[in-house]
Amino acid sequence: MQTDSSFTFVLFGGTGDLSMRKILPALFEAHRAGGMLADSGKIVAVARHVADRGEYLQWVDEHVKPHVSKKGLDESAWASFLARIEFVKIDLGKPEDFTQLRDAIQDLPGIRVFYLATGPSLFVPICHALAAVGLNTNARIVLEKPLGYDLKSSNAINDAVGEIFAEEQIYRIDHYLGKEPVQNLLALRFGNALFEPLWRREWVESIQITIAEELGVEARGDFYDNTGALRDMVQNHLLQLLSIVAMEPPHSMDSDSVRDEKLRVLRALKPIEPLEIGKVAVRGQYHSGVIRGTAVPAYATEHGVKPDSSTETFVALKVEIENWRWAGVPFFLRTGKRLADRVAEIVVNFRPVPHSALGASALRAGANRLVIRLQPNETIRLYCLAKQPGEGMNLASVHLDLAFDQFFREGQMEAYQRLLLDVIHGRLALFVRRDEQEAAWRWVEPILNEWQASHKPPKPYAAGTWGPAAASAMLAQHGTCWLEEEN
């Protein structure tokens, strides 16, 4: 893809973990692919922990290279990428320092992209400082999650940022929306006559959406203990995936058409009443256990975590959508840390045939299912029944694969790479609009409030398992189970 779109990409938090692991590697992949980034495009890193450009480039060489794909990596490509990078030393707590940034970029061509890879407490001060030196025009600003602690604090941030940047300048990023299988889900649904007639309550029995992590809180104990899994993962990632799965066909793939349909799903979520929360919401916290042969500590003993913490590291929810297409279909959402495997997937369970002339085996579990795997390997797999070779009508579950790395010669685009290119080119469809975010907070807040008011501790689960038994029991009440339990 060729582009003449010049840009100046300003990266706040330029020495941070997110910049090193995701943002700069994604920009490098776009750079070495050729033609995706304008030759005149510049990357300006902002930080205070290194002295000058030379020291920053050494930092990048040491901390970014390990996260870059070695396939096709050569020193000339790396050297030309480093040539794009400039550095400005700024203390973000000193608004007067922003004059140095203005002087450094005011003569650079193209759109300005300000990526705030910082803590949310710095979002508003940075925006005010940018406006004070006139850098809020001809600009786009990217906000990382979490955007607030609840609806009130989220609105406060959005109000403050919205006074400085127009809504069409604000890109609230959710990297799960940039993953290839999520894009292909839209293509499968809206580009093929096979799936759309089946994508409704008459033919779908239940849907599961799981984001599971093997890792614990790592070095983020202070942050995580004041956040928890419901705020960190459900309010944004899981509800965004849910809205993509359940949305109506948009008029077109332009940004507002797609986001209007996602918003309708979020507004149609059935409110969970306080008395029902214990039946349809499970919260857990990991204790010590073993993952892949390695003993790991309990959450309460992690660095930065209060010993008596009641913060949840696991959430499972039964969700319903009150609209014509999905009424009565349960959506089961699940996320957690220190689980048995690292996996993110969407499982669409279709209803069995109403009558089987082929015997009871035609009603077996494992058939009539679509599994969209987001990580670690990105695939879409359709399960159905076929006759086993040999005598008799014996059926077996088989699958049809869309394995992107095998079917398409060109390499897959990593989520952050796609989203950063969309920011540079002004494409908003894969970013969260403010009204979407507000609708998600409104639905989540009663659960948060009830958990806080009840003072009940999270249910314990051993690290290396799939979470509390109550999460499995919740599905069993509906005659189903999580995918890994069936296998």
Side-chain angles (χ1 to χ4, degrees), residues 144-165:
E144 270 284 349
K145 76 168 186 74
L147 204 65
Y149 183 80
D150 52 19
L151 178 60
K152 181 179 179 180
S153 58
S154 175
N155 281 342
I157 293 174
N158 278 316
D159 287 344
V161 174
E163 291 177 357
I164 297 164
F165 294 94

Side-chain angles (χ1 to χ4, degrees), residues 76-188:
S76 63
W78 184 249
S80 61
F81 175 68
L82 294 183
R84 287 186 184 270
I85 299 177
E86 302 294 339
F87 176 77
V88 180
K89 183 174 182 178
I90 288 180
D91 184 339
L92 298 181
K94 298 180 178 178
E96 61 271 18
D97 283 5
F98 280 70
T99 57
Q100 301 172 44
L101 177 63
R102 180 197 60 199
D103 295 344
I105 70 173
Q106 63 183 354
D107 294 327
L108 296 177
I111 192 73
R112 295 166 182 154
V113 174
F114 298 109
Y115 198 114
L116 274 55
T118 68
S121 63
L122 292 172
F123 290 174
V124 174
I126 289 173
C127 290
H128 281 299
L130 289 171
V133 295
L135 291 179
N136 59 321
T137 58
N138 190 35
R140 297 167 188 150
I141 189 156
V142 185
L143 304 179
E144 270 284 349
K145 76 168 186 74
L147 204 65
Y149 183 80
D150 52 19
L151 178 60
K152 181 179 179 180
S153 58
S154 175
N155 281 342
I157 293 174
N158 278 316
D159 287 344
V161 174
E163 291 177 357
I164 297 164
F165 294 94
E167 179 64 27
E168 61 268 20
Q169 294 177 278
I170 303 172
Y171 291 69
R172 301 172 188 86
I173 194 167
D174 186 328
H175 70 275
Y176 277 90
L177 299 184
K179 289 182 176 291
E180 198 73 55
V182 175
Q183 303 302 295
N184 260 296
L185 173 59
L186 296 174
L188 285 173

Side-chain angles (χ1 to χ4, degrees), residues 361 364 366-367 383-389 393-399:
S361 61
R364 68 194 297 175
Y383 289 84
C384 53
L385 289 176
K387 178 187 175 297
Q388 292 182 353
M393 184 58 72
N394 297 313
L395 304 182
S397 178
V398 298
H399 56 263

